[in-house]
């Protein structure tokens, strides 16, 4: 069976995703922010996390041994990457350029909107949510 391809991401109220290589709200001790990170590592435990170099580099040590981490580069074919993991749940971890390419393969989007209104240099694109349908319609 083909991989079950999913995304879990968190965005600010305007779609903020990242800032200077980190989560824009990193270090904020507020409950929604802390719970969001805990939930990500809980749900993705035991599964495959495929992402760009910056995103994989930000995975904390405690989470590295409890999931399969795969750093992808732009020359790689997404179909070939996904074909390495038949029967596995594969989370596509971003960043945006990665989601641009992998969105057509994603079956399940889990998007948590956090109470953040500050700046960002990486943004969520709502078109990703419909990319799978567009691909299926041809
Ligand atoms: N809020 C969230 O849920 C969330 C989740 C993930 C990331 N983020 C944030 O996003 C930022 C990191 O993302 P980023 O985009 O800057 O860096 P990234 O994670 O390294 O991802 C982008 C890189 O992935 C590589 N890549 C691999 N496959 C690709 C493909 N098929 N097409 C295009 N590029 C591909 C490219 O590098 P090469 O061209 O060098 O191969 C590209 O520059 C951070 O600020 C992070 O905190 C937020």
């Amino acid at each position: 069976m083909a991989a079950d391809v999913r995304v879990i991401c968190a965005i600010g109220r305007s779609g903020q995703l990242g800032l200077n290589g980190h989560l824009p709200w990193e270090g904020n001790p507020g409950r929604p922010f802390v719970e969001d990170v805990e939930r990500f590592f809980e749900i993705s435990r035991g599964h495959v996390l495929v992402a760009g170099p910056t995103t994989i580099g930000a995975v904390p040590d405690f989470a590295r041994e409890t999931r399969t981490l795969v750093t992808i580069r732009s020359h790689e074919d997404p179909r070939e990457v996904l074909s390495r993991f038949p029967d596995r749940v594969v989370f596509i971890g971003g960043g945006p350029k990665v989601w641009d390419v992998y969105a057509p393969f994603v079956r399940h989007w889990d998007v948590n909107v956090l109470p953040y209104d500050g700046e960002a240099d990486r943004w969520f694109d709502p078109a990703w949510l419909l990319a799978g349908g567009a691909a299926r319609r041809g």
Side-chain angles (χ1 to χ4, degrees):
M1 204 178 82
D4 180 353
V5 186
R6 300 174 176 229
V7 170
I8 305 176
C9 66
I11 62 176
R13 287 192 179 108
S14 307
Q16 300 95 324
L17 268 177
L19 179 65
N20 300 326
H22 300 277
L23 297 173
W25 44 85
E26 199 162 298
N28 187 319
R31 182 191 279 205
F33 304 97
V34 174
E35 282 183 352
D36 177 73
V37 173
E38 289 176 355
R39 183 171 176 274
F40 174 80
F41 288 115
E42 171 72 25
I43 293 175
S44 59
R45 189 170 56 209
H47 300 302
V48 181
L49 176 61
V50 167
T54 304
T55 299
I56 291 291
V59 174
D61 286 344
F62 80 86
R64 291 191 168 263
E65 290 183 0
T66 49
R67 65 213 71 222
T68 304
L69 299 181
V70 182
T71 302
I72 48 169
R73 304 308 300 264
S74 42
H75 66 269
E76 292 177 273
D77 174 4
R79 285 189 173 78
E80 187 282 318
V81 171
L82 295 173
S83 74
R84 295 179 210 160
F85 306 102
D87 298 321
R88 298 289 302 273
V89 175
V90 177
F91 289 96
I92 307 298
K97 287 184 192 165
V98 169
W99 284 322
D100 281 343
V101 172
Y102 283 77
F105 303 96
V106 176
R107 187 186 67 77
H108 183 128
W109 287 88
D110 178 331
V111 183
N112 190 10
V113 182
L114 293 171
Y116 175 83
D117 295 300
E119 58 179 325
D121 58 19
R122 297 289 184 274
W123 296 86
F124 185 85
D125 181 352
W128 293 330
L129 301 177
L130 301 179
R136 277 190 287 277
R137 285 194 301 274

